[in-house]
Amino acid sequence: MEALIAIAIGTLTAVGIYLMLRLRTFPVILGLTFLSYAVNIFIFVSGRLAVNAAPIIGVTEAYADPLPQALVLTAIVISFGMTAVIMIMAIGGYLEAGHDKVNMDDDTTGEDGPEART
Amino acid sequence: MSHWIIAPVVLPAMIAGLMVIAMRGDLLLQRVAGVVGVVALNAIAVGLLWSATVHGPQAYFLGDWPAPFGIVLMLDRLSALMVALLAVLALVVVLYAIGSGWDRKGAHLHPLLQFLLMGIGGAFLTGDAFNLFVFFEVLLIASYGLMIHAGGDRRTRAGIQYIAFNLVGSSLFLLALALIYAVTGTLNMADLAAKLPTLPEGDTALLRAAAVMLILVFAIKGALVPLQFWLPGTYANAPGVVAAMFAVMTKIGAYAVIRFGTLVFPPDLPATGPLLSDLILPAGLVTLALGAVGVLGATTLPRLAAFGGIASMGTAFIAISAFTPQTTTAALYYILHSTLATAAMFLVADLVTRRRAHARLTEIAPPIAQSGLIASLYLIAAVAMAGMPPLSGFIGKLLVLDAFRDQAPLIWSVVLVSSFLMILGFARAGSTLFWKPSALDAQPDEAAPEGLAFTATFGLVAGLALLTILAGPITDWLTATAQMLDAPTAYIQANRLGQGG
């Protein structure tokens, strides 16, 4: 099971990094999501893998570490919220700029436009 | 257990919530609440500074759960100092936002500022590594909103880059925390400090990987080369008043490196050894050089201020990298100075860009209104940032140079040459902005007097002057702080580990 999970984390990370380096916002956001999945599984297994073990002492013979489960819940909520924020920003940027390229063009163009001063 | 320790987190959170729920759309009420909030935060910060100085490190056990099982907030001299710095800057920024009318150009500037204060205050005060991550996210999500305040195509797109970059940083942070937890079974910083020296041999490689990932996260926050490239685009495109507030955000990276480098991964820890110093010193030197070249080559005044900020982080990280009491004293003094100086530069840049016909430094524009007053403010801010006498930047750089006498050939030459480049860059920009326009036959437009905005900017100048005049007592206090950081026994004992509260 360790090997399976390690391969899963590695694959998710690789996919995430590949997509993150793309030029358009949508693949970048997908990449960030994949990366956060990889991170979440990684946090979950930091308390060691255990089968048939409840995170409560005394219910089953062995018990699982409950803290990583609490940490991963926090991490899931936060990464979910952050993905929502960047999604809204990406839509806003697309509507205002008319394209969804991630990179900024030449640094001085537009800086005498109204948005530089307002 | 003093409940005031949690006040810098709870107070802004309550005010922000009240603003959003009860004062929606009522700018006057929001302004009053914002000013009352930051004034109260200043009073609390002074109280905490006094308490940390007199009583030493104190822990606040959230929900009264004993450490290391519950989350603790830790008040010591360093965190009290950073909260006080935050409070002073927040007061200036709120006054400037009101005086310049920035808060009228988009909704929710005041509540977002309060949420940012909550996140930063919490990050400075927490004694738990995972809680530090949570407060990082709180301050980041507020900063995303502030970054795109008043909107605009370029600002929104720069905001997307900023968010994407910080999401990667957050993922790295979580990976590092998971590794540390897997190795040690704890995330309480004092508990880590107590457990890491007895780490089994086989786990040191994992711990070193975690330490490097943590440093990368803090390097993103602190704009350390090679992770600095988000900063110029973000700060130059953010509203000027927000960029001034962000001057303290890079210092969170510096604070976290000092905290982890002295408490969790001190240089005498067998598992990591001088790993942190070896990584941070060269990065700091390159950061300083890159910032100075950026100041020389910047095309607009906000970008110039942003590169000045990068250069100051370079100097701060050089001083941090040695982790000895003397260098930490120099680093802390320089952090205090550079936060105020960078913020002053961003406010001056905002005063200029809102009046000038265009933002480019490569072309002359007609003279701006109130040119004399703004020019003198620019001169003061530039002198402070370049580290020339008589202001505190000079004392700060002197302390850094003095602390590195043994490595003088390398560090002195980088610091001094980059100071020279920055003087050149600031002087050239100043002459384009304030001298050459007088050759044009044009009259400046009438501008609103903005008394409050100027008062706020002069407040920062007064802060720099105070830092200079009181340099003696302040460095004495900072030396005591650095010595306590160097020997964190009292900090660890305040957590009452294993005593069940």
Side-chain angles (χ1 to χ4, degrees), chain B residues 246-444:
Chain B
F246 282 9
V248 78
M249 294 223 321
T250 46
K251 274 59 182 187
I252 300 166
Y255 161 81
V257 170
I258 295 178
R259 178 66 83 204
F260 273 81
T262 54
L263 181 67
V264 183
F265 307 118
D268 53 359
L269 183 74
T272 50
L275 177 72
L276 267 61
S277 313
D278 292 349
L279 285 173
I280 294 171
L281 181 60
L285 288 169
V286 180
T287 308
L288 175 56
L290 185 132
V293 173
V295 166
L296 200 58
T299 46
T300 67
L301 190 54
R303 289 184 76 83
L304 184 104
F307 277 107
I310 290 183
S312 75
M313 287 318 288
T315 315
F317 273 112
I318 292 171
I320 289 169
S321 69
F323 298 113
T324 65
Q326 196 195 359
T327 52
T328 307
T329 308
L332 290 176
Y333 186 87
Y334 197 79
I335 286 173
L336 290 182
H337 151 77
S338 74
T339 308
L340 299 182
T342 313
M345 201 45 158
F346 275 115
L347 292 186
V348 173
D350 183 59
L351 287 172
V352 172
T353 28
R354 280 188 294 115
R355 288 171 172 75
R356 208 158 172 260
H358 60 76
R360 288 187 294 273
L361 285 175
T362 42
E363 289 167 48
I364 306 168
I368 57 176
Q370 294 149 316
S371 176
L373 195 57
I374 297 176
S376 51
L377 277 171
Y378 174 82
L379 178 70
I380 295 169
V383 163
M385 286 209 81
M388 281 190 289
L391 281 175
S392 48
F394 178 69
I395 300 171
K397 279 201 172 149
L398 210 58
L399 285 171
V400 175
L401 292 180
D402 186 46
F404 285 96
R405 276 169 193 272
D406 50 332
Q407 298 175 60
L410 176 67
I411 292 175
W412 285 33
S413 49
V414 173
V415 172
L416 294 175
V417 170
S418 55
S419 298
F420 174 67
L421 289 181
M422 283 170 73
I423 293 171
L424 273 186
F426 282 120
R428 196 207 55 170
S431 84
T432 315
L433 289 171
F434 303 111
W435 276 352
K436 289 182 184 165
S438 57
L440 295 176
D441 191 25
Q443 285 302 310

Side-chain angles (χ1 to χ4, degrees), chain B residues 20-269:
Chain B
V20 173
I21 296 166
M23 307 173 191
R24 218 184 169 85
D26 190 342
L27 190 58
L28 183 67
L29 261 181
Q30 287 195 358
R31 286 175 166 180
V32 172
V35 173
V36 169
V38 288
V39 169
L41 188 64
N42 271 284
I44 294 167
V46 170
L48 291 181
L49 259 182
W50 174 81
S51 174
T53 311
V54 176
H55 302 301
Q58 301 154 48
Y60 180 80
F61 302 94
L62 288 169
D64 216 10
W65 289 92
F69 306 109
I71 291 169
V72 287
L73 298 185
M74 285 295 303
L75 174 75
D76 72 337
R77 281 165 165 251
L78 176 62
S79 47
L81 176 74
M82 298 307 284
V83 170
L85 178 67
L86 171 72
V88 169
L89 188 66
L91 179 63
V92 169
V93 164
V94 169
L95 291 180
Y96 186 90
I98 295 171
S100 63
W102 265 114
D103 55 358
R104 254 184 272 118
K105 288 173 186 156
H108 306 313
L109 181 76
H110 287 293
L112 282 171
L113 270 175
Q114 295 291 331
F115 276 126
L116 186 74
L117 294 181
M118 170 199 174
I120 303 178
F124 286 149
L125 283 168
T126 184
D128 182 280
F130 195 81
N131 199 226
L132 181 67
F133 163 78
V134 173
F135 277 120
F136 266 36
E137 296 305 310
V138 172
L139 73 92
L140 282 174
I141 203 153
S143 78
Y144 301 156
L146 287 171
M147 157 80 210
I148 56 159
H149 179 73
D153 158 29
R154 285 185 66 80
R155 194 168 284 155
T156 313
R157 287 173 54 223
I160 295 171
Q161 289 187 352
Y162 173 63
I163 298 181
F165 210 77
N166 275 299
L167 284 182
V168 180
S170 303
S171 300
L172 268 179
F173 202 166
L174 283 173
L175 284 177
L177 292 178
L179 268 180
I180 291 178
Y181 184 78
V183 172
T184 62
T186 182
L187 286 171
N188 175 296
M189 293 188 209
D191 199 24
L192 282 173
K195 278 186 179 155
L196 285 182
T198 54
L199 194 73
E201 190 79 19
D203 286 341
T204 49
L206 281 177
L207 186 77
R208 286 169 74 89
V212 171
M213 276 199 267
L214 270 185
I215 296 308
L216 285 178
V217 176
F218 301 148
I220 292 177
K221 292 284 170 304
L224 199 59
V225 168
L227 298 166
Q228 90 299 344
F229 45 84
W230 61 274
L231 192 141
T234 304
Y235 282 35
N237 284 304
V241 61
V242 172
M245 191 69 227
F246 282 9
V248 78
M249 294 223 321
T250 46
K251 274 59 182 187
I252 300 166
Y255 161 81
V257 170
I258 295 178
R259 178 66 83 204
F260 273 81
T262 54
L263 181 67
V264 183
F265 307 118
D268 53 359
L269 183 74

Side-chain angles (χ1 to χ4, degrees), chain A residues 20 25 28 32 35-36 39-40 42-43 46-48 65 67-68 71 74-75 78 81-83 85-86 89-90 92-93 96-97 99 101-112 115-118, chain B residues 102 105 130 133-134 137 140-141 144 148 150-161 163-164 167-168 171 174-175 178-179 181-183 187 236-237 299-300 303 353-360:
Chain A
M20 224 164 59
T25 47
V28 170
L32 290 169
L35 196 63
S36 73
V39 170
N40 289 341
F42 189 82
I43 300 175
S46 73
R48 307 294 184 272
D65 189 345
L67 191 80
L71 296 185
T74 316
I78 288 178
M82 291 295 174
T83 311
V85 170
I86 193 173
M89 291 275 293
E96 291 206 37
H99 61 82
K101 288 192 186 117
V102 176
N103 58 329
M104 308 280 281
D105 28 296
D106 186 80
D107 274 324
T108 47
T109 54
E111 266 170 4
D112 47 357
E115 70 268 26
R117 276 173 284 130
T118 51
Chain B
W102 265 114
K105 288 173 186 156
F130 195 81
F133 163 78
V134 173
E137 296 305 310
L140 282 174
I141 203 153
Y144 301 156
I148 56 159
D153 158 29
R154 285 185 66 80
R155 194 168 284 155
T156 313
R157 287 173 54 223
I160 295 171
Q161 289 187 352
I163 298 181
L167 284 182
V168 180
S171 300
L174 283 173
L175 284 177
L179 268 180
Y181 184 78
V183 172
L187 286 171
N237 284 304
T299 46
T300 67
R303 289 184 76 83
T353 28
R354 280 188 294 115
R355 288 171 172 75
R356 208 158 172 260
H358 60 76
R360 288 187 294 273

Side-chain angles (χ1 to χ4, degrees), chain A residues 2 8 16 25 41 48 55 58 60 72 96 113:
Chain A
E2 279 84 356
T25 47
I41 301 175
R48 307 294 184 272
T60 47
V72 81
E96 291 206 37

Side-chain angles (χ1 to χ4, degrees), chain A residues 75-91:
Chain A
I76 288 171
V77 172
I78 288 178
S79 67
F80 179 72
M82 291 295 174
T83 311
V85 170
I86 193 173
M87 209 74 204
I88 296 293
M89 291 275 293
I91 294 170

